[in-house]
């Protein structure tokens, strides 16, 4: 049986190939879409490239200017934050709603603290509030800078294949993510993502009004348990919480219609169609 998610993303990439751009000697992957409307910056998790948000880009790019990113193979969260600002400058974005999921949610929170003038709104999705929460959990408990890449990849593969495949959609998502971890994300980039979070700085204080802060979470998220979700809400005191009862760790892939609707709300697009 063909994987409709893989086919859909492949069709998207035919018209929106990832471009490579260098900032401070580091090469980022960049997808830009849309020519008018509010700005939206999309930051993926460990197992996603810029195109992991293809369903959101497709749905919103005729009403918003979108900058979706793949992380470089070096640097850390503080360096990436400064470079995201530079990539926004290249996109002509003075400010934007910044959505980050998982690792990207941590990067987005750091960016919002470090660059508040650039953040029209923060969406911290399926994420955590302190890097200390993961240091004892595989693969972060490993020496991610030197362990053979095959061990890192195999750990992700085993975890993905062991996850309950509750329906056809969840099986299609697993196949999509397996393609990411077994080759679409180069080993050096995968190491950099793991290292960035393992050695992530404490998040700076936020200077944003509550109504500009939103949290996205899933009741069945296998990677962000209820205690971590509680800590994110406590830290951010968000004006809006979007909760998926059945969205897993990747609701933007599994529940695109609902996810696109929440982005429309945060971008103030819902009433404008």
């Amino acid at each position: 049986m063909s994987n409709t998610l893989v086919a859909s993303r492949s069709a998207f990439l035919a018209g929106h190939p990832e471009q490579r751009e260098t900032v401070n000697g580091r090469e980022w992957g960049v997808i830009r879409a849309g020519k008018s409307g509010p700005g939206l910056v999309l930051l993926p998790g460990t197992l996603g490239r810029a195109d992991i948000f293809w369903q959101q880009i497709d749905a919103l790019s005729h009403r918003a200017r979108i900058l979706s990113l793949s992380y470089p193979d070096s640097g850390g969260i503080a360096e990436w934050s400064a470079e995201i600002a530079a990539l926004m400058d290249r996109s002509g974005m003075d400010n934007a709603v910044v959505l980050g999921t998982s690792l990207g949610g941590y990067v987005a929170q750091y960016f919002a603290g470090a660059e508040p003038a650039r953040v029209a709104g923060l969406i911290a999705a399926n994420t955590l509030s302190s890097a200390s929460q993961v240091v004892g959990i595989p693969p972060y408990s490993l020496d991610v800078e030197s362990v053979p890449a095959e061990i890192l990849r195999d750990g992700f593969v085993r975890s993905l294949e062991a996850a309950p495949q509750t329906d056809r959609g969840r099986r299609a998502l697993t196949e999509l993510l397996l393609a990411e971890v077994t080759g679409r994300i180069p080993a050096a980039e995968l190491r950099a993502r793991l290292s960035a979070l393992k050695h992530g700085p404490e998040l700076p204080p936020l200077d944003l009004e509550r109504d500009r802060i939103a949290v996205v979470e899933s009741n069945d998220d296998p990677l962000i348990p209820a205690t971590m979700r509680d800590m994110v809400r406590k830290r951010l005191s968000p004006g809006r919480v979007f909760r998926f009862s059945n969205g897993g760790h990747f609701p933007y892939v599994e529940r695109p219609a609902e996810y696109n609707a929440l982005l429309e709300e945060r971008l103030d697009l819902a009433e404008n169609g």
Side-chain angles (χ1 to χ4, degrees):
M1 180 182 298
S2 63
N3 186 320
T4 56
L5 288 179
V6 172
S8 175
R9 185 179 63 183
S10 296
F12 168 83
L13 280 171
H16 301 82
E18 182 182 286
Q19 306 298 317
R20 308 299 289 177
E21 296 190 16
T22 300
V23 185
N24 295 332
R26 276 182 279 273
E27 191 175 82
W28 286 76
V30 178
I31 294 177
R32 291 187 177 88
K35 297 180 179 179
S36 63
L40 174 64
V41 175
L42 299 172
L43 303 174
T46 302
L47 296 188
R49 301 193 66 79
D51 54 58
I52 196 73
F53 295 108
W54 85 96
Q55 296 174 103
Q56 287 68 53
I57 299 170
D58 257 348
L60 300 173
S61 59
H62 63 295
R63 293 175 288 165
R65 294 170 297 130
I66 300 175
L67 173 66
S68 192
L69 300 174
S70 296
Y71 306 107
D73 62 6
S74 66
I77 286 170
E79 292 87 354
W80 293 354
S81 176
E83 289 160 17
I84 290 166
L87 289 163
M88 288 176 64
D89 288 339
R90 294 182 186 180
S91 301
M93 290 181 179
D94 292 331
N95 58 51
V97 171
V98 180
L99 163 69
T101 186
S102 196
L103 163 64
Y106 202 84
V107 178
Q109 290 177 79
Y110 187 93
F111 182 77
E115 304 273 357
R118 310 302 301 265
V119 180
L122 167 66
I123 307 175
N126 297 85
T127 192
L128 64 163
S129 59
S130 173
S132 64
Q133 295 166 340
V134 301
V135 293
I137 302 172
Y140 301 97
S141 56
L142 301 174
D143 183 356
V144 296
E145 289 81 20
S146 62
V147 70
E150 293 76 13
I151 292 178
L152 294 176
R153 293 192 191 279
D154 287 349
F156 281 110
V157 169
R158 288 194 301 272
S159 177
L160 288 167
E161 292 179 339
Q165 306 299 303
T166 53
D167 54 36
R168 182 179 298 178
R170 191 62 57 89
R171 291 192 295 272
L173 172 63
T174 296
E175 184 178 332
L176 183 84
L177 296 174
L178 285 171
E180 299 295 297
V181 75
T182 58
R184 290 194 80 239
I185 300 173
E189 291 184 14
L190 185 62
R191 287 186 195 278
R193 296 173 187 214
L194 295 171
S195 180
L197 189 55
K198 178 174 182 176
H199 303 296
E202 286 302 307
L203 295 170
L206 280 181
D207 186 22
L208 295 178
E209 298 88 350
R210 289 187 64 232
D211 63 2
R212 291 164 62 190
I213 304 171
V215 164
V216 180
E217 58 186 41
S218 302
N219 288 341
D220 63 340
D221 190 330
L223 301 182
I224 307 295
T227 52
M228 284 190 187
R229 302 196 294 268
D230 292 344
M231 292 175 74
V232 170
R233 277 184 268 106
K234 181 177 180 180
R235 176 182 185 271
L236 294 178
S237 187
R240 189 76 160 89
V241 176
F242 298 91
R243 184 173 293 111
F244 289 83
S245 60
N246 183 26
H249 194 60
F250 298 86
Y252 52 98
V253 178
E254 292 200 72
R255 300 287 181 267
E258 297 98 318
Y259 213 92
N260 296 344
L262 75 84
L263 287 176
E264 287 179 335
E265 178 183 311
R266 301 313 293 176
L267 291 164
D268 199 23
L269 297 174
E271 294 184 0
N272 300 323

PDB file of all heavy atoms in Angstrom, residues 219-250:
ATOM      1  N   ASN A 219      -2.622  14.815  24.613  1.00  0.00           N
ATOM      2  CA  ASN A 219      -2.801  13.936  25.772  1.00  0.00           C
ATOM      3  C   ASN A 219      -2.074  12.612  25.612  1.00  0.00           C
ATOM      4  O   ASN A 219      -1.705  11.978  26.604  1.00  0.00           O
ATOM      5  CB  ASN A 219      -4.292  13.676  26.007  1.00  0.00           C
ATOM      6  CG  ASN A 219      -5.018  14.890  26.543  1.00  0.00           C
ATOM      7  OD1 ASN A 219      -4.405  15.819  27.063  1.00  0.00           O
ATOM      8  ND2 ASN A 219      -6.331  14.902  26.395  1.00  0.00           N
ATOM      9  N   ASP A 220      -1.893  12.174  24.357  1.00  0.00           N
ATOM     10  CA  ASP A 220      -1.250  10.879  24.106  1.00  0.00           C
ATOM     11  C   ASP A 220       0.169  11.030  23.577  1.00  0.00           C
ATOM     12  O   ASP A 220       0.690  10.132  22.923  1.00  0.00           O
ATOM     13  CB  ASP A 220      -2.093  10.050  23.134  1.00  0.00           C
ATOM     14  CG  ASP A 220      -2.220  10.699  21.753  1.00  0.00           C
ATOM     15  OD1 ASP A 220      -2.006  11.932  21.639  1.00  0.00           O
ATOM     16  OD2 ASP A 220      -2.546   9.983  20.787  1.00  0.00           O
ATOM     17  N   ASP A 221       0.817  12.159  23.870  1.00  0.00           N
ATOM     18  CA  ASP A 221       2.190  12.378  23.412  1.00  0.00           C
ATOM     19  C   ASP A 221       3.111  11.396  24.134  1.00  0.00           C
ATOM     20  O   ASP A 221       3.271  11.471  25.356  1.00  0.00           O
ATOM     21  CB  ASP A 221       2.609  13.816  23.717  1.00  0.00           C
ATOM     22  CG  ASP A 221       3.927  14.208  23.057  1.00  0.00           C
ATOM     23  OD1 ASP A 221       4.783  13.333  22.861  1.00  0.00           O
ATOM     24  OD2 ASP A 221       4.095  15.402  22.753  1.00  0.00           O
ATOM     25  N   PRO A 222       3.770  10.479  23.401  1.00  0.00           N
ATOM     26  CA  PRO A 222       4.619   9.486  24.074  1.00  0.00           C
ATOM     27  C   PRO A 222       5.953  10.037  24.542  1.00  0.00           C
ATOM     28  O   PRO A 222       6.646   9.390  25.327  1.00  0.00           O
ATOM     29  CB  PRO A 222       4.826   8.424  22.985  1.00  0.00           C
ATOM     30  CG  PRO A 222       4.757   9.194  21.702  1.00  0.00           C
ATOM     31  CD  PRO A 222       3.732  10.275  21.938  1.00  0.00           C
ATOM     32  N   LEU A 223       6.337  11.222  24.076  1.00  0.00           N
ATOM     33  CA  LEU A 223       7.641  11.783  24.405  1.00  0.00           C
ATOM     34  C   LEU A 223       7.569  12.914  25.420  1.00  0.00           C
ATOM     35  O   LEU A 223       8.566  13.198  26.101  1.00  0.00           O
ATOM     36  CB  LEU A 223       8.331  12.296  23.134  1.00  0.00           C
ATOM     37  CG  LEU A 223       8.577  11.255  22.041  1.00  0.00           C
ATOM     38  CD1 LEU A 223       9.301  11.878  20.872  1.00  0.00           C
ATOM     39  CD2 LEU A 223       9.345  10.057  22.579  1.00  0.00           C
ATOM     40  N   ILE A 224       6.436  13.563  25.518  1.00  0.00           N
ATOM     41  CA  ILE A 224       6.263  14.664  26.466  1.00  0.00           C
ATOM     42  C   ILE A 224       5.162  14.274  27.440  1.00  0.00           C
ATOM     43  O   ILE A 224       3.968  14.487  27.177  1.00  0.00           O
ATOM     44  CB  ILE A 224       5.907  15.987  25.749  1.00  0.00           C
ATOM     45  CG1 ILE A 224       6.913  16.306  24.637  1.00  0.00           C
ATOM     46  CG2 ILE A 224       5.845  17.134  26.751  1.00  0.00           C
ATOM     47  CD1 ILE A 224       8.325  16.577  25.121  1.00  0.00           C
ATOM     48  N   PRO A 225       5.524  13.676  28.575  1.00  0.00           N
ATOM     49  CA  PRO A 225       4.503  13.219  29.527  1.00  0.00           C
ATOM     50  C   PRO A 225       3.786  14.382  30.198  1.00  0.00           C
ATOM     51  O   PRO A 225       4.189  15.543  30.087  1.00  0.00           O
ATOM     52  CB  PRO A 225       5.306  12.396  30.533  1.00  0.00           C
ATOM     53  CG  PRO A 225       6.691  12.953  30.456  1.00  0.00           C
ATOM     54  CD  PRO A 225       6.889  13.379  29.030  1.00  0.00           C
ATOM     55  N   ALA A 226       2.733  14.042  30.933  1.00  0.00           N
ATOM     56  CA  ALA A 226       1.890  15.065  31.554  1.00  0.00           C
ATOM     57  C   ALA A 226       2.685  15.990  32.463  1.00  0.00           C
ATOM     58  O   ALA A 226       2.426  17.205  32.514  1.00  0.00           O
ATOM     59  CB  ALA A 226       0.758  14.401  32.326  1.00  0.00           C
ATOM     60  N   THR A 227       3.668  15.452  33.193  1.00  0.00           N
ATOM     61  CA  THR A 227       4.445  16.307  34.100  1.00  0.00           C
ATOM     62  C   THR A 227       5.218  17.374  33.325  1.00  0.00           C
ATOM     63  O   THR A 227       5.305  18.527  33.766  1.00  0.00           O
ATOM     64  CB  THR A 227       5.425  15.461  34.926  1.00  0.00           C
ATOM     65  OG1 THR A 227       6.209  14.631  34.050  1.00  0.00           O
ATOM     66  CG2 THR A 227       4.682  14.584  35.916  1.00  0.00           C
ATOM     67  N   MET A 228       5.786  17.007  32.182  1.00  0.00           N
ATOM     68  CA  MET A 228       6.506  17.985  31.357  1.00  0.00           C
ATOM     69  C   MET A 228       5.543  19.004  30.777  1.00  0.00           C
ATOM     70  O   MET A 228       5.857  20.209  30.715  1.00  0.00           O
ATOM     71  CB  MET A 228       7.271  17.285  30.230  1.00  0.00           C
ATOM     72  CG  MET A 228       8.541  16.592  30.649  1.00  0.00           C
ATOM     73  SD  MET A 228       9.470  16.081  29.175  1.00  0.00           S
ATOM     74  CE  MET A 228      10.781  15.121  29.936  1.00  0.00           C
ATOM     75  N   ARG A 229       4.368  18.550  30.343  1.00  0.00           N
ATOM     76  CA  ARG A 229       3.382  19.475  29.792  1.00  0.00           C
ATOM     77  C   ARG A 229       2.956  20.486  30.843  1.00  0.00           C
ATOM     78  O   ARG A 229       2.806  21.684  30.553  1.00  0.00           O
ATOM     79  CB  ARG A 229       2.182  18.702  29.240  1.00  0.00           C
ATOM     80  CG  ARG A 229       2.550  17.697  28.153  1.00  0.00           C
ATOM     81  CD  ARG A 229       1.352  17.241  27.366  1.00  0.00           C
ATOM     82  NE  ARG A 229       0.386  16.477  28.119  1.00  0.00           N
ATOM     83  CZ  ARG A 229       0.363  15.142  28.223  1.00  0.00           C
ATOM     84  NH1 ARG A 229       1.321  14.433  27.634  1.00  0.00           N
ATOM     85  NH2 ARG A 229      -0.581  14.518  28.896  1.00  0.00           N
ATOM     86  N   ASP A 230       2.769  20.009  32.061  1.00  0.00           N
ATOM     87  CA  ASP A 230       2.394  20.905  33.151  1.00  0.00           C
ATOM     88  C   ASP A 230       3.466  21.979  33.377  1.00  0.00           C
ATOM     89  O   ASP A 230       3.157  23.155  33.615  1.00  0.00           O
ATOM     90  CB  ASP A 230       2.195  20.122  34.449  1.00  0.00           C
ATOM     91  CG  ASP A 230       0.976  19.211  34.416  1.00  0.00           C
ATOM     92  OD1 ASP A 230       0.120  19.399  33.523  1.00  0.00           O
ATOM     93  OD2 ASP A 230       0.902  18.309  35.275  1.00  0.00           O
ATOM     94  N   MET A 231       4.734  21.571  33.295  1.00  0.00           N
ATOM     95  CA  MET A 231       5.831  22.507  33.549  1.00  0.00           C
ATOM     96  C   MET A 231       5.928  23.558  32.452  1.00  0.00           C
ATOM     97  O   MET A 231       6.258  24.721  32.723  1.00  0.00           O
ATOM     98  CB  MET A 231       7.144  21.738  33.696  1.00  0.00           C
ATOM     99  CG  MET A 231       7.202  20.881  34.954  1.00  0.00           C
ATOM    100  SD  MET A 231       8.692  19.861  35.055  1.00  0.00           S
ATOM    101  CE  MET A 231       9.910  21.111  35.448  1.00  0.00           C
ATOM    102  N   VAL A 232       5.640  23.170  31.214  1.00  0.00           N
ATOM    103  CA  VAL A 232       5.643  24.147  30.119  1.00  0.00           C
ATOM    104  C   VAL A 232       4.558  25.188  30.354  1.00  0.00           C
ATOM    105  O   VAL A 232       4.795  26.404  30.244  1.00  0.00           O
ATOM    106  CB  VAL A 232       5.447  23.449  28.759  1.00  0.00           C
ATOM    107  CG1 VAL A 232       5.194  24.468  27.650  1.00  0.00           C
ATOM    108  CG2 VAL A 232       6.666  22.600  28.413  1.00  0.00           C
ATOM    109  N   ARG A 233       3.356  24.731  30.707  1.00  0.00           N
ATOM    110  CA  ARG A 233       2.262  25.678  30.954  1.00  0.00           C
ATOM    111  C   ARG A 233       2.570  26.576  32.150  1.00  0.00           C
ATOM    112  O   ARG A 233       2.280  27.780  32.132  1.00  0.00           O
ATOM    113  CB  ARG A 233       0.955  24.919  31.168  1.00  0.00           C
ATOM    114  CG  ARG A 233       0.278  24.529  29.858  1.00  0.00           C
ATOM    115  CD  ARG A 233      -1.063  23.857  30.095  1.00  0.00           C
ATOM    116  NE  ARG A 233      -0.926  22.410  30.163  1.00  0.00           N
ATOM    117  CZ  ARG A 233      -0.998  21.682  31.253  1.00  0.00           C
ATOM    118  NH1 ARG A 233      -1.216  22.267  32.424  1.00  0.00           N
ATOM    119  NH2 ARG A 233      -0.871  20.373  31.210  1.00  0.00           N
ATOM    120  N   LYS A 234       3.165  25.999  33.178  1.00  0.00           N
ATOM    121  CA  LYS A 234       3.498  26.797  34.359  1.00  0.00           C
ATOM    122  C   LYS A 234       4.520  27.864  34.018  1.00  0.00           C
ATOM    123  O   LYS A 234       4.419  29.020  34.474  1.00  0.00           O
ATOM    124  CB  LYS A 234       4.024  25.885  35.477  1.00  0.00           C
ATOM    125  CG  LYS A 234       4.371  26.636  36.754  1.00  0.00           C
ATOM    126  CD  LYS A 234       4.823  25.678  37.855  1.00  0.00           C
ATOM    127  CE  LYS A 234       5.172  26.436  39.137  1.00  0.00           C
ATOM    128  NZ  LYS A 234       5.612  25.509  40.218  1.00  0.00           N
ATOM    129  N   ARG A 235       5.524  27.510  33.231  1.00  0.00           N
ATOM    130  CA  ARG A 235       6.564  28.477  32.886  1.00  0.00           C
ATOM    131  C   ARG A 235       6.029  29.584  31.997  1.00  0.00           C
ATOM    132  O   ARG A 235       6.333  30.763  32.201  1.00  0.00           O
ATOM    133  CB  ARG A 235       7.733  27.781  32.179  1.00  0.00           C
ATOM    134  CG  ARG A 235       8.780  28.765  31.719  1.00  0.00           C
ATOM    135  CD  ARG A 235       9.955  28.173  30.979  1.00  0.00           C
ATOM    136  NE  ARG A 235      10.908  29.238  30.729  1.00  0.00           N
ATOM    137  CZ  ARG A 235      10.880  30.016  29.646  1.00  0.00           C
ATOM    138  NH1 ARG A 235       9.985  29.814  28.691  1.00  0.00           N
ATOM    139  NH2 ARG A 235      11.759  30.995  29.502  1.00  0.00           N
ATOM    140  N   LEU A 236       5.229  29.227  30.992  1.00  0.00           N
ATOM    141  CA  LEU A 236       4.819  30.200  29.980  1.00  0.00           C
ATOM    142  C   LEU A 236       3.555  30.964  30.347  1.00  0.00           C
ATOM    143  O   LEU A 236       3.325  32.058  29.824  1.00  0.00           O
ATOM    144  CB  LEU A 236       4.615  29.496  28.631  1.00  0.00           C
ATOM    145  CG  LEU A 236       5.866  28.911  27.980  1.00  0.00           C
ATOM    146  CD1 LEU A 236       5.497  28.208  26.689  1.00  0.00           C
ATOM    147  CD2 LEU A 236       6.899  30.002  27.727  1.00  0.00           C
ATOM    148  N   SER A 237       2.715  30.381  31.196  1.00  0.00           N
ATOM    149  CA  SER A 237       1.423  31.007  31.522  1.00  0.00           C
ATOM    150  C   SER A 237       0.729  31.476  30.244  1.00  0.00           C
ATOM    151  O   SER A 237       0.428  32.667  30.079  1.00  0.00           O
ATOM    152  CB  SER A 237       1.629  32.176  32.484  1.00  0.00           C
ATOM    153  OG  SER A 237       0.382  32.674  32.931  1.00  0.00           O
ATOM    154  N   PRO A 238       0.469  30.576  29.313  1.00  0.00           N
ATOM    155  CA  PRO A 238      -0.028  30.981  27.991  1.00  0.00           C
ATOM    156  C   PRO A 238      -1.459  31.512  28.043  1.00  0.00           C
ATOM    157  O   PRO A 238      -2.272  31.096  28.870  1.00  0.00           O
ATOM    158  CB  PRO A 238       0.037  29.675  27.194  1.00  0.00           C
ATOM    159  CG  PRO A 238      -0.145  28.604  28.221  1.00  0.00           C
ATOM    160  CD  PRO A 238       0.558  29.108  29.446  1.00  0.00           C
ATOM    161  N   GLY A 239      -1.733  32.425  27.128  1.00  0.00           N
ATOM    162  CA  GLY A 239      -3.095  32.892  27.005  1.00  0.00           C
ATOM    163  C   GLY A 239      -3.997  31.895  26.318  1.00  0.00           C
ATOM    164  O   GLY A 239      -5.229  31.989  26.428  1.00  0.00           O
ATOM    165  N   ARG A 240      -3.406  30.934  25.599  1.00  0.00           N
ATOM    166  CA  ARG A 240      -4.191  29.949  24.849  1.00  0.00           C
ATOM    167  C   ARG A 240      -3.481  28.606  24.893  1.00  0.00           C
ATOM    168  O   ARG A 240      -2.266  28.526  24.691  1.00  0.00           O
ATOM    169  CB  ARG A 240      -4.332  30.399  23.393  1.00  0.00           C
ATOM    170  CG  ARG A 240      -5.292  29.598  22.554  1.00  0.00           C
ATOM    171  CD  ARG A 240      -6.731  29.945  22.860  1.00  0.00           C
ATOM    172  NE  ARG A 240      -7.626  29.562  21.788  1.00  0.00           N
ATOM    173  CZ  ARG A 240      -8.216  28.357  21.687  1.00  0.00           C
ATOM    174  NH1 ARG A 240      -7.972  27.431  22.595  1.00  0.00           N
ATOM    175  NH2 ARG A 240      -9.023  28.083  20.694  1.00  0.00           N
ATOM    176  N   VAL A 241      -4.214  27.552  25.175  1.00  0.00           N
ATOM    177  CA  VAL A 241      -3.691  26.185  25.145  1.00  0.00           C
ATOM    178  C   VAL A 241      -4.534  25.389  24.149  1.00  0.00           C
ATOM    179  O   VAL A 241      -5.763  25.340  24.263  1.00  0.00           O
ATOM    180  CB  VAL A 241      -3.739  25.510  26.527  1.00  0.00           C
ATOM    181  CG1 VAL A 241      -3.279  24.053  26.427  1.00  0.00           C
ATOM    182  CG2 VAL A 241      -2.873  26.273  27.525  1.00  0.00           C
ATOM    183  N   PHE A 242      -3.867  24.784  23.170  1.00  0.00           N
ATOM    184  CA  PHE A 242      -4.522  23.904  22.209  1.00  0.00           C
ATOM    185  C   PHE A 242      -4.154  22.469  22.594  1.00  0.00           C
ATOM    186  O   PHE A 242      -2.976  22.117  22.591  1.00  0.00           O
ATOM    187  CB  PHE A 242      -4.056  24.198  20.788  1.00  0.00           C
ATOM    188  CG  PHE A 242      -4.374  25.585  20.314  1.00  0.00           C
ATOM    189  CD1 PHE A 242      -3.467  26.629  20.503  1.00  0.00           C
ATOM    190  CD2 PHE A 242      -5.579  25.851  19.688  1.00  0.00           C
ATOM    191  CE1 PHE A 242      -3.750  27.914  20.065  1.00  0.00           C
ATOM    192  CE2 PHE A 242      -5.877  27.137  19.232  1.00  0.00           C
ATOM    193  CZ  PHE A 242      -4.961  28.165  19.424  1.00  0.00           C
ATOM    194  N   ARG A 243      -5.154  21.674  22.911  1.00  0.00           N
ATOM    195  CA  ARG A 243      -4.886  20.317  23.395  1.00  0.00           C
ATOM    196  C   ARG A 243      -5.529  19.300  22.456  1.00  0.00           C
ATOM    197  O   ARG A 243      -6.733  19.327  22.225  1.00  0.00           O
ATOM    198  CB  ARG A 243      -5.415  20.162  24.824  1.00  0.00           C
ATOM    199  CG  ARG A 243      -5.095  18.819  25.453  1.00  0.00           C
ATOM    200  CD  ARG A 243      -5.483  18.793  26.923  1.00  0.00           C
ATOM    201  NE  ARG A 243      -4.657  19.709  27.728  1.00  0.00           N
ATOM    202  CZ  ARG A 243      -5.121  20.818  28.288  1.00  0.00           C
ATOM    203  NH1 ARG A 243      -6.393  21.166  28.165  1.00  0.00           N
ATOM    204  NH2 ARG A 243      -4.303  21.593  29.001  1.00  0.00           N
ATOM    205  N   PHE A 244      -4.692  18.401  21.940  1.00  0.00           N
ATOM    206  CA  PHE A 244      -5.172  17.308  21.107  1.00  0.00           C
ATOM    207  C   PHE A 244      -5.364  16.077  21.979  1.00  0.00           C
ATOM    208  O   PHE A 244      -4.455  15.687  22.708  1.00  0.00           O
ATOM    209  CB  PHE A 244      -4.165  16.988  19.996  1.00  0.00           C
ATOM    210  CG  PHE A 244      -4.082  18.030  18.918  1.00  0.00           C
ATOM    211  CD1 PHE A 244      -3.295  19.165  19.089  1.00  0.00           C
ATOM    212  CD2 PHE A 244      -4.779  17.881  17.734  1.00  0.00           C
ATOM    213  CE1 PHE A 244      -3.208  20.141  18.113  1.00  0.00           C
ATOM    214  CE2 PHE A 244      -4.699  18.845  16.736  1.00  0.00           C
ATOM    215  CZ  PHE A 244      -3.921  19.970  16.924  1.00  0.00           C
ATOM    216  N   SER A 245      -6.525  15.457  21.903  1.00  0.00           N
ATOM    217  CA  SER A 245      -6.740  14.226  22.658  1.00  0.00           C
ATOM    218  C   SER A 245      -6.026  13.056  22.004  1.00  0.00           C
ATOM    219  O   SER A 245      -5.605  12.115  22.672  1.00  0.00           O
ATOM    220  CB  SER A 245      -8.243  13.928  22.772  1.00  0.00           C
ATOM    221  OG  SER A 245      -8.812  13.780  21.485  1.00  0.00           O
ATOM    222  N   ASN A 246      -5.836  13.129  20.692  1.00  0.00           N
ATOM    223  CA  ASN A 246      -5.225  12.027  19.951  1.00  0.00           C
ATOM    224  C   ASN A 246      -4.386  12.605  18.815  1.00  0.00           C
ATOM    225  O   ASN A 246      -4.757  12.522  17.649  1.00  0.00           O
ATOM    226  CB  ASN A 246      -6.299  11.082  19.403  1.00  0.00           C
ATOM    227  CG  ASN A 246      -5.707   9.893  18.680  1.00  0.00           C
ATOM    228  OD1 ASN A 246      -4.588   9.485  18.964  1.00  0.00           O
ATOM    229  ND2 ASN A 246      -6.448   9.356  17.725  1.00  0.00           N
ATOM    230  N   GLY A 247      -3.250  13.194  19.182  1.00  0.00           N
ATOM    231  CA  GLY A 247      -2.387  13.777  18.171  1.00  0.00           C
ATOM    232  C   GLY A 247      -0.962  13.286  18.235  1.00  0.00           C
ATOM    233  O   GLY A 247      -0.146  13.597  17.370  1.00  0.00           O
ATOM    234  N   GLY A 248      -0.639  12.505  19.299  1.00  0.00           N
ATOM    235  CA  GLY A 248       0.716  12.007  19.446  1.00  0.00           C
ATOM    236  C   GLY A 248       1.715  13.151  19.564  1.00  0.00           C
ATOM    237  O   GLY A 248       1.389  14.252  20.019  1.00  0.00           O
ATOM    238  N   HIS A 249       2.941  12.890  19.135  1.00  0.00           N
ATOM    239  CA  HIS A 249       3.992  13.899  19.196  1.00  0.00           C
ATOM    240  C   HIS A 249       4.035  14.756  17.939  1.00  0.00           C
ATOM    241  O   HIS A 249       4.739  15.768  17.901  1.00  0.00           O
ATOM    242  CB  HIS A 249       5.350  13.212  19.402  1.00  0.00           C
ATOM    243  CG  HIS A 249       6.449  14.144  19.802  1.00  0.00           C
ATOM    244  ND1 HIS A 249       6.411  14.920  20.952  1.00  0.00           N
ATOM    245  CD2 HIS A 249       7.643  14.448  19.190  1.00  0.00           C
ATOM    246  CE1 HIS A 249       7.519  15.633  21.050  1.00  0.00           C
ATOM    247  NE2 HIS A 249       8.273  15.371  19.989  1.00  0.00           N
ATOM    248  N   PHE A 250       3.264  14.375  16.931  1.00  0.00           N
ATOM    249  CA  PHE A 250       3.309  15.062  15.638  1.00  0.00           C
ATOM    250  C   PHE A 250       1.904  15.435  15.172  1.00  0.00           C
ATOM    251  O   PHE A 250       1.481  15.064  14.071  1.00  0.00           O
ATOM    252  CB  PHE A 250       3.977  14.163  14.584  1.00  0.00           C
ATOM    253  CG  PHE A 250       5.401  13.806  14.892  1.00  0.00           C
ATOM    254  CD1 PHE A 250       5.693  12.709  15.696  1.00  0.00           C
ATOM    255  CD2 PHE A 250       6.450  14.561  14.385  1.00  0.00           C
ATOM    256  CE1 PHE A 250       7.012  12.370  15.985  1.00  0.00           C
ATOM    257  CE2 PHE A 250       7.762  14.231  14.677  1.00  0.00           C
ATOM    258  CZ  PHE A 250       8.057  13.134  15.472  1.00  0.00           C
TER     259      PHE A 250
END
